[in-house]
Amino acid sequence: MTLFANIDAARGEALRHQLLTLLPDQSVVLAGENFDPADVSYILTWKIPENLAQYTALKIVFSIGAGVDQFLGETLPDGVRLVRLVDPGLTAMMQEYVTMGVLALHRDLPAYLAQRQTETWAQVAVPPAASQRRVGVMGLGELGKGALEALKPLGFSLSGWARSAHQIDGVTCYHGAEGLKDFLAVTDILVCLLPLTLQTEGLLNGNLFAQLPKGAALVHAGRGKQLHHEDLLAALDNGQLRAAVIDVTDPEPLPAGHKFWSDQRILLTPHIACITRIDMVVPAIVANLQNHRNNKALQGEVELSRGY
């Protein structure tokens, strides 16, 4: 039962070395090596490799990232399972990024950075106490729950929204279409960590922004296709939003001359909220390989009909 690591050579070699240290009887092959596709039971990849039908013994496709929207629309053979990466290291990185973004918006960092251009030394505003700032997280999976946990010690008033109902200590939770309006109405800083699905594509648009309190702000670290760029710029121009921290866009990278590059109300980062490191990937893969061998549930298995 061979694992095919369909990643670059340097990371592939590191992965093979670390994986075989923990699971010595697991065969691992890399892209460019000679191997029989019929021996491959597992594929670790970012995208579906070409000629997938040749992997006749394939049982599991492991995504090397936490997201799986790149697999949406792909057809996996019957019985093949798709598993996204669930790892404490990725959660910790997202906690860092969301905390950074929320604090930057809470303390008006984009406006102060803009003042450097004109050498202006002036107070932008007196920020409310953290307890008076309402932060809402869209998406209550591992990353969303982790982000909320990281924000708790800072004293913000916290809420969360997801498609289905959740209960989280210290967080007011909303769910479904009927709960979205109420959630948005009490959110001063909106954090989007939703997976990309047919339902969430284009969700961050003018209609949604209009349901936030006047002068709200956005941290977007979900998926690029969820954000309508022109609607965000319009909301910034009319004062409905005052600033945004954006980590994901569509396309990536942004083309030269795109308005996000120069808009001083936007803090732009190049999709770095979570960066997959091999030392984070291996333990999660080993755990799931052992789970599969022992007929146990796979952590991070994707329900293909839902897209996450």
Side-chain angles (χ1 to χ4, degrees), residues 184-197:
L184 294 171
V186 295
T187 297
D188 300 314
I189 299 177
L190 176 65
V191 179
C192 180
L193 296 177
L194 289 166
L196 180 64
T197 66

Side-chain angles (χ1 to χ4, degrees), residues 81-302:
R81 303 158 77 176
L82 176 62
V83 175
R84 61 184 177 84
L85 181 61
V86 176
D87 180 81
L90 287 179
T91 301
M93 293 187 79
M94 185 60 79
Q95 288 176 313
E96 295 168 358
Y97 188 90
V98 169
T99 301
M100 176 189 73
V102 168
L103 287 174
L105 295 172
H106 174 56
R107 295 303 302 268
D108 297 305
L109 184 60
Y112 286 112
L113 291 176
Q115 286 187 167
R116 295 180 62 186
Q117 306 301 315
T118 56
E119 299 183 3
T120 299
W121 185 281
Q123 180 176 290
V124 172
V126 178
S131 60
Q132 301 302 310
R133 185 80 83 184
R134 301 167 298 179
V135 179
V137 175
M138 298 182 79
L140 298 178
E142 294 293 327
L143 297 181
K145 289 177 181 176
L148 286 163
E149 199 61 36
L151 292 170
K152 283 181 182 179
L154 299 174
F156 293 109
S157 174
L158 299 175
S159 61
W161 178 87
R163 193 170 80 167
S164 56
H166 289 71
Q167 288 188 337
I168 304 173
D169 233 13
V171 179
T172 303
C173 293
Y174 302 82
H175 70 279
E178 67 281 2
L180 182 58
K181 182 177 180 180
D182 291 340
F183 164 78
L184 294 171
V186 295
T187 297
D188 300 314
I189 299 177
L190 176 65
V191 179
C192 180
L193 296 177
L194 289 166
L196 180 64
T197 66
L198 293 176
Q199 290 73 37
T200 66
E201 184 170 344
L203 182 64
L204 300 177
N205 57 30
N207 178 59
L208 182 141
F209 299 146
Q211 297 177 66
L212 293 166
K214 187 81 169 179
L218 171 69
V219 177
H220 182 34
R223 284 293 182 260
K225 288 185 178 180
Q226 292 163 341
L227 176 63
H228 192 291
H229 292 193
E230 293 302 323
D231 284 8
L232 173 61
L233 292 168
L236 291 168
D237 287 342
N238 66 29
Q240 181 60 28
L241 296 183
R242 59 185 173 84
V245 175
I246 305 297
D247 186 55
V248 289
T249 63
D250 181 41
E252 290 182 358
L254 285 176
H258 191 285
K259 293 177 182 178
F260 282 11
W261 287 119
S262 57
D263 196 310
Q264 295 180 345
R265 300 163 297 185
I266 296 174
L267 295 182
L268 183 65
T269 55
H271 203 151
I272 48 79
C274 286
I275 303 171
T276 303
R277 301 194 309 262
I278 292 302
D279 62 326
M280 296 192 303
V281 173
V282 172
I285 293 174
V286 168
N288 266 331
L289 289 173
Q290 292 174 325
N291 287 342
H292 185 250
R293 293 179 180 187
N294 296 317
N295 294 314
K296 294 183 178 179
L298 302 177
Q299 187 177 24
E301 183 166 5
V302 175

